[in-house]
Amino acid sequence: MHTKKEIQNQYKALPALLLPWYRKNARDLPWRRTKEPYRVWVSEIMLQQTRVEAVRGYYARFLTALPRINNLAEADEEHLLKLWEGLGYYSRVRNLQKAAKTVMEQHGGVFPSNYGDVRALTGIGDYTAGAICSICFEQPRAAVDGNVLRIMARITEDFSPIDLADTKKKVAAALEEVYPAGECGAFTQSLMELGACVCTPRSPKCGECPVKEICFARKAGTVEKLPVKLPKKPKREEKRTVFLLECDGKYAVCKRTEKGLLSGLWQLPNVTGEKTPDEALKTVDSFGAKPLELQKEVHKTHIFTHIVWDMVGYHILCGVKAKNFTWVSREELQTTYALPTAFRIFLED
Ligand code: SF4
């Protein structure tokens, strides 16, 4: 257990150690070449739950299609979802658009710089508001995510579970005390960079770490025990049967009406439970699509945040384009319809 004074000293030492290291080692990422709030905001939302390498292409495409916040506010929903296709967590892009509309209607199209106004935008939590205000407006606002919590748990050898809101508040408040004037954005990004490249969840590179001399966990040999997390709830498993129905070279899709998971997105027809091939053909018959031949059976799994879909998929040739579906070509599926990865994987084989 370290004293309050010792912990404060750890925080105070951070800017002088991290900033020179960051200037020398920062990765050249497209969203780091700008301080324009719209661009930084889009990148931060995309980077939630998605790897940097996966985001690069999406980021470039999104901003080419919607270069300004008014373009996002006015974009057609289908177009937006298509730009987001494959990134998952589709509520993120819907919230982006809601917030863009608020900026247009309540802030005259200019992204707000006041922390309270930024935080009030739909889909923007403490982390994103802190990132935008420090990076774009040089305000001493911390952006505390799992990476920063991990780093600080190790540097201060703090065994408080990082999932607790109190731990997050404590870390944010302590960081905001030491934000260096004029280098707030660089400080936020240096913490992100340390978490992404050096103080990684597994096998941190302590030997090349810019804060190794002050890190309490390194000195005590407790790095592998930190951070402490509360036990996770196991994911719920759900069985599903997915139909790839083909008729005259067209495929059946429909809109998801269920609330919650993937709501409002296009999908392949599907039902809960695992159907046998015979049951699958009967189900397709009940859709009015006149099944002619079962071509293929495949098994796939897709993992969401709280749920796992264990799916069986049947590719079935049909004699009738049942009216309750929209029938589209493979090309249209590629170019026009946003199909979440959970369904798109059935087009791959
Ligand atoms: S010394 Fe190791 S554990 Fe400590 S901050 Fe650096 S990488 Fe993380």
Side-chain angles (χ1 to χ4, degrees), residues 136-194:
C136 309
F137 305 117
E138 281 301 330
Q139 294 170 12
R141 292 287 183 178
V144 179
D145 66 352
N147 283 317
V148 173
L149 287 167
R150 178 176 66 253
I151 297 167
M152 294 319 306
R154 288 172 176 169
I155 296 175
T156 60
E157 210 194 11
D158 186 342
F159 289 90
S160 326
I162 60 168
D163 328 66
L164 297 178
D166 273 357
T167 310
K168 206 170 176 178
K169 264 195 206 156
K170 180 175 72 179
V171 170
L175 280 173
E176 288 179 359
E177 287 288 310
V178 302
Y179 256 71
E183 298 206 82
C184 295
F187 187 54
T188 289
Q189 298 193 80
S190 70
L191 286 161
M192 293 174 177
E193 195 73 352
L194 189 74

Side-chain angles (χ1 to χ4, degrees), residues 77-195:
E77 194 187 41
E78 288 299 327
H79 184 205
L80 264 189
L81 293 172
K82 190 67 194 165
L83 287 167
W84 208 264
E85 184 189 72
L87 267 176
Y89 305 97
Y90 290 84
S91 58
R92 290 186 291 174
V93 69
R94 291 203 170 107
N95 287 340
L96 266 176
Q97 187 174 46
K98 267 193 206 158
K101 286 180 178 167
T102 305
V103 172
M104 296 309 295
E105 288 158 15
Q106 293 178 16
H107 301 282
V110 179
F111 204 94
S113 59
N114 173 283
Y115 181 85
D117 290 341
V118 176
R119 178 68 180 78
L121 294 170
T122 308
I124 295 193
D126 293 340
Y127 171 82
T128 311
I132 293 171
C133 287
S134 60
I135 295 170
C136 309
F137 305 117
E138 281 301 330
Q139 294 170 12
R141 292 287 183 178
V144 179
D145 66 352
N147 283 317
V148 173
L149 287 167
R150 178 176 66 253
I151 297 167
M152 294 319 306
R154 288 172 176 169
I155 296 175
T156 60
E157 210 194 11
D158 186 342
F159 289 90
S160 326
I162 60 168
D163 328 66
L164 297 178
D166 273 357
T167 310
K168 206 170 176 178
K169 264 195 206 156
K170 180 175 72 179
V171 170
L175 280 173
E176 288 179 359
E177 287 288 310
V178 302
Y179 256 71
E183 298 206 82
C184 295
F187 187 54
T188 289
Q189 298 193 80
S190 70
L191 286 161
M192 293 174 177
E193 195 73 352
L194 189 74

